[in-house]
Amino acid sequence: MKINQITFTRFLAAIAIVISHFNKDMFVYKTDYIADIFLKANVGVSYFFILSGFIMIVAYHKKEKIGYLEYYRNRFARIYPLYVLGLLLYLVTRYSNFSIGKGFLYLFGLQSWIPGKAMILNFPGWSISVEFLFYLIFPVLYNYFYSKKNKSIWVVGIVLWILTQVFSHLYVGSPSYKGPHTESHEFLYYFPLMHVSEFLVGNLAGLFFVKRFKQKNYDIPVIAIFATIMLALIFVPLFYHNGLMAVLFIPLIILLSWNNGLVTRLFSLKPLEYLGEASYAVYITHIPVLYILREIIKAQNYKLDINSVFWIYLVVLIITSMGFYQFIEKPLRDYLKKVNIR
């Protein structure tokens, strides 16, 4: 089962994250309310984690059992080549930051496990470090709980999600939290175990979706939920980074996946679906592409205002990401999936 309309939402989340990492002097930060949305756009990573859990179930729900080696090979082929490419592009302009120790942590996806090391090298890679954990545990969860319809995983997933939200909100307001750019911040925001509940509730959403599949026009509820997400980011000052937004993301994902209305027809257009396919490249390379572009602009002595730089950057990022997807991600993914590992 492939849900074409969901694919484009990955691109929207990736672009929101790109904007949130760009210079805060650009035009979107000059307008109240709009600025509030993009200042919290890192919540898009939480959307990725929840959607990842959802898609895993949709992709595998008809299997009685998942073969571990085949699954790990397929996941490796899906994310690792561009993960390494992001590192190599980062080192083009930041090679002085490299060390054997940092390279080891990054390449083995261990950086997010060590507070103070999560943002080394190509720092969007912290979330891929978390995804490595998700991919490691999913076959176990599926083979021993989901495929056997073991209801206890529902209790575990929901309770773990609640405990994560309670702990996150208490910790961020406690003396133990020292603020941004500290080890306490990296523990709260990037430590993999702080995000497991997002993947689990995404799994549960996937189980609910495939069991109660019912296509109809959900355009109005989908638009209403999306508007509610925007309003929550603007007016509700809560800590959303570790999955609290699941209360809105999950209904949005399920209803959009069931939807056969105008929004689905729009999001399923081939060019938009293609952008969604290239969204991983957008996310994992957006920092190194920005650094390289800045060096080129500096070397050419171009006098550009920050907004002009942003639009050039956005066009360059999208074009290069489509190239990375088409000529690196897809061919290597297809090749690695054919490798015999038995």
Side-chain angles (χ1 to χ4, degrees):
M1 183 186 296
K2 185 178 181 183
I3 311 169
N4 295 331
Q5 64 269 31
I6 281 292
T7 304
F8 180 62
T9 66
R10 290 162 41 196
F11 177 78
L12 295 178
I15 291 298
I17 294 167
V18 168
I19 294 173
S20 75
H21 289 162
F22 197 74
N23 193 299
K24 299 302 185 287
D25 291 327
M26 67 179 292
F27 66 96
V28 298
Y29 296 104
K30 303 300 182 184
T31 305
D32 290 341
Y33 305 137
I34 294 178
D36 294 328
I37 292 172
F38 286 107
L39 287 170
K40 298 177 183 176
N42 57 5
V43 75
V45 178
S46 183
Y47 180 78
F48 286 151
F49 291 160
I50 294 167
L51 183 61
S52 179
F54 178 84
I55 293 299
M56 283 295 101
I57 292 294
V58 172
Y60 288 94
H61 74 278
K62 291 185 178 181
K63 289 183 174 290
E64 292 185 8
K65 185 178 182 180
I66 294 176
Y68 292 95
L69 291 180
E70 182 181 6
Y71 175 84
Y72 293 141
R73 179 193 63 187
N74 290 343
R75 290 295 91 201
F76 178 88
R78 171 69 179 86
I79 68 171
Y80 202 73
L82 283 193
Y83 181 68
V84 174
L85 175 66
L87 171 62
L88 296 177
L89 290 174
Y90 177 88
L91 293 177
V92 170
T93 60
R94 297 294 190 274
Y95 55 87
S96 61
N97 289 352
F98 183 80
S99 69
I100 298 298
K102 289 180 180 178
F104 176 85
L105 291 176
Y106 188 92
L107 290 173
F108 284 88
L110 300 174
Q111 68 271 38
S112 295
W113 290 96
I114 306 173
K117 302 293 185 182
M119 307 301 278
I120 61 173
L121 304 178
N122 181 28
F123 62 80
W126 79 264
S127 66
I128 309 304
S129 173
V130 176
E131 290 273 4
F132 285 169
L133 173 63
F134 297 165
Y135 296 155
L136 181 66
I137 66 175
F138 179 72
V140 178
L141 292 171
Y142 189 88
N143 291 341
Y144 290 96
F145 294 94
Y146 301 142
S147 67
K148 299 181 183 302
K149 297 180 171 55
N150 189 325
K151 296 295 191 294
S152 64
I153 194 63
W154 286 79
V155 176
V156 171
I158 293 171
V159 169
L160 183 60
W161 179 82
I162 292 172
L163 291 176
T164 300
Q165 305 319 308
V166 172
F167 176 82
S168 296
H169 282 80
L170 291 177
Y171 187 80
V172 78
S174 73
S176 298
Y177 180 67
K178 306 301 182 182
H181 311 298
T182 66
E183 291 185 3
S184 62
H185 179 85
E186 293 202 359
F187 168 73
L188 180 63
Y189 277 71
Y190 310 131
F191 192 64
L193 296 183
M194 298 299 292
H195 298 283
V196 170
S197 69
E198 294 165 275
F199 185 72
L200 288 180
V201 295
N203 288 162
L204 301 182
L207 293 172
F208 180 83
F209 166 78
V210 296
K211 184 176 181 180
R212 300 176 180 271
F213 184 79
K214 47 180 180 181
Q215 277 195 316
K216 60 185 291 188
N217 190 327
Y218 288 105
D219 279 345
I220 293 177
V222 164
I223 294 171
I225 294 172
F226 181 78
T228 303
I229 291 171
M230 297 299 103
L231 292 172
L233 293 176
I234 295 170
F235 296 110
V236 184
L238 294 175
F239 183 78
Y240 293 112
H241 191 74
N242 290 352
L244 180 61
M245 196 59 82
V247 296
L248 294 174
F249 283 160
I250 286 176
L252 178 69
I253 291 169
I254 291 175
L255 292 179
L256 183 57
S257 299
W258 280 339
N259 186 40
N260 60 8
L262 179 61
V263 173
T264 286
R265 292 196 294 275
L266 176 63
F267 282 15
S268 297
L269 292 174
K270 289 301 179 182
L272 299 188
E273 183 183 351
Y274 190 85
L275 288 175
E277 295 287 358
S279 62
Y280 174 48
V282 170
Y283 174 77
I284 201 63
T285 67
H286 76 274
I287 292 300
V289 168
L290 176 60
Y291 289 170
I292 293 171
L293 181 62
R294 283 176 176 170
E295 291 299 320
I296 293 173
I297 292 173
K298 181 180 177 181
Q300 297 299 320
N301 201 28
Y302 292 133
K303 304 298 183 183
L304 300 172
D305 64 87
I306 197 66
N307 294 325
S308 298
V309 172
F310 170 74
W311 290 116
I312 294 170
Y313 166 55
L314 192 61
V315 171
V316 170
L317 177 63
I318 291 173
I319 292 174
T320 56
S321 295
M322 290 191 296
F324 295 151
Y325 168 70
Q326 188 66 40
F327 300 110
I328 297 178
E329 180 181 345
K330 282 179 65 178
L332 284 177
R333 179 184 64 197
D334 294 342
Y335 171 76
L336 290 172
K337 283 184 176 180
K338 294 176 182 177
V339 173
N340 189 343
I341 58 175
R342 296 185 182 280

